[in-house]
Amino acid sequence: MILDRFRLDGKVAVVTGAGRGIGAACAIALAEVGADVVLAARTQAQLLVVAEEVRRKGRRAHLVCGDLSDPDAGAALAGDAEAEFGRIDVVINNLGGGRPGPLGHSSTEALEKAFRFNVSTADALTRAAADVMLRGDGGAIVNISSVVGRVAGRGFLAYGTAKAALTHYTRLSAADLSPRVRVNAVAPGIVLTVALQKLVGEGPARERAEASTPLRRIGDPQDVAAAVLYLATDASAYLTGKVIEVDGGLHALNIDLDLPDL
């Protein structure tokens, strides 16, 4: 059956930034289709909540609490996952973010920090996890990029530039790791995470954000998780080096983001 290709029974997935938002939604979705999940984030209390949801799905959850921006954290996380479960089959590089600010209110240091947080962390875990995958049955890596890595939006200089780099990193690493490890990415648009809620609230700013999207709504983390699930499973077995925009049509119609002044 075609739906069998969406299963991850007996597989192990590692999800960074798994304490809330997109990362939490991805972790729970992966558990729903059969994966045991290694949950990594800085805040233990948040991880405990997500771990409980994973276990409700009948899967095992292993928590790794720490700062993944540390240069050695990626290798340590992969080693921890392998020690706990003996394998790694899926990696979701969800950790990322950055302070908004246009060129005049940003800095070179902000750009460098955005690269470390959004690109270097993904690279460190990708390298370490790929070593484990290549000793085993191969696997799939999914990077969480952003629509602002593909379209212009005022105030996203550092973050958008870093996400653009992550998008191309996805293509380059896919070429290097094929055929046994597939690497793809999802580029979310305006998705209602905690950070976005603080930015747009419930008033006119939110209405503007909704109106700027062709589908006329803000995305939900589960919208992103569904695309991640496709890329993490054999449903996408003939895809590598690709980026799926989950953005309500922003990129397809070349529409600029319309968020509050930053």
Side-chain angles (χ1 to χ4, degrees):
M1 292 179 60
I2 191 67
L3 290 179
D4 291 339
R5 298 183 71 171
F6 287 88
R7 298 295 306 179
L8 287 170
D9 300 293
K11 306 293 186 181
V12 174
V14 178
V15 183
T16 65
R20 63 185 186 182
I22 291 171
C26 290
I28 294 167
L30 292 164
E32 285 185 3
V33 299
D36 296 320
V37 188
V38 178
L39 306 166
R42 285 180 292 187
T43 306
Q44 185 178 37
Q46 293 175 345
L47 288 179
L48 288 170
V49 173
V50 180
E52 181 60 27
E53 288 298 315
V54 168
R55 291 168 183 143
R56 287 176 198 262
K57 307 297 181 185
R59 307 315 307 164
R60 294 176 293 173
H62 177 63
L63 280 61
V64 178
C65 188
D67 183 3
L68 291 178
S69 64
D70 183 285
D72 299 322
L77 175 57
D80 197 332
E82 185 179 23
E84 181 69 18
F85 292 118
R87 60 189 296 143
I88 297 174
D89 303 283
V90 173
V91 169
I92 312 300
N93 280 312
N94 170 66
L95 183 68
R99 287 182 171 274
L103 182 62
H105 295 86
S106 186
S107 65
T108 300
E109 289 75 19
L111 183 63
E112 292 172 346
K113 183 176 181 180
F115 265 79
R116 288 196 302 272
F117 199 40
N118 294 277
V119 184
S120 297
T121 56
D123 174 63
L125 180 55
T126 294
R127 290 173 184 274
D131 285 344
V132 179
M133 291 174 172
L134 291 171
R135 294 198 304 270
D137 298 327
I141 297 171
V142 184
N143 298 319
I144 306 300
S145 185
S146 171
V147 69
V148 297
R150 299 171 76 80
V151 300
R154 182 180 180 275
F156 295 99
L157 179 72
Y159 176 70
T161 302
K163 288 301 191 183
L166 181 62
T167 293
H168 199 49
Y169 176 88
T170 297
R171 302 186 187 100
L172 295 170
S173 57
D176 286 344
L177 292 174
S178 62
R180 299 195 58 228
V181 176
R182 297 184 300 109
V183 187
N184 293 288
V186 174
I190 306 172
V191 176
L192 194 58
T193 60
V194 173
L196 184 69
Q197 181 65 41
K198 292 179 180 179
L199 185 63
V200 302
E202 297 293 339
R206 177 163 180 161
E207 293 173 2
R208 283 173 51 197
E210 292 172 340
S212 73
T213 304
L215 291 186
R216 296 296 187 268
R217 71 175 177 88
I218 291 176
D220 183 271
Q222 287 194 339
D223 293 322
V224 181
V228 168
L229 195 63
Y230 169 64
L231 294 175
T233 65
D234 284 344
S236 61
Y238 202 49
L239 264 67
T240 196
K242 300 300 181 184
V243 180
I244 297 178
E245 290 94 10
V246 183
D247 61 4
L250 284 169
H251 179 257
L253 299 184
N254 297 310
I255 294 174
D256 286 344
L257 296 174
D258 188 11
L259 293 178
D261 290 337
L262 301 171

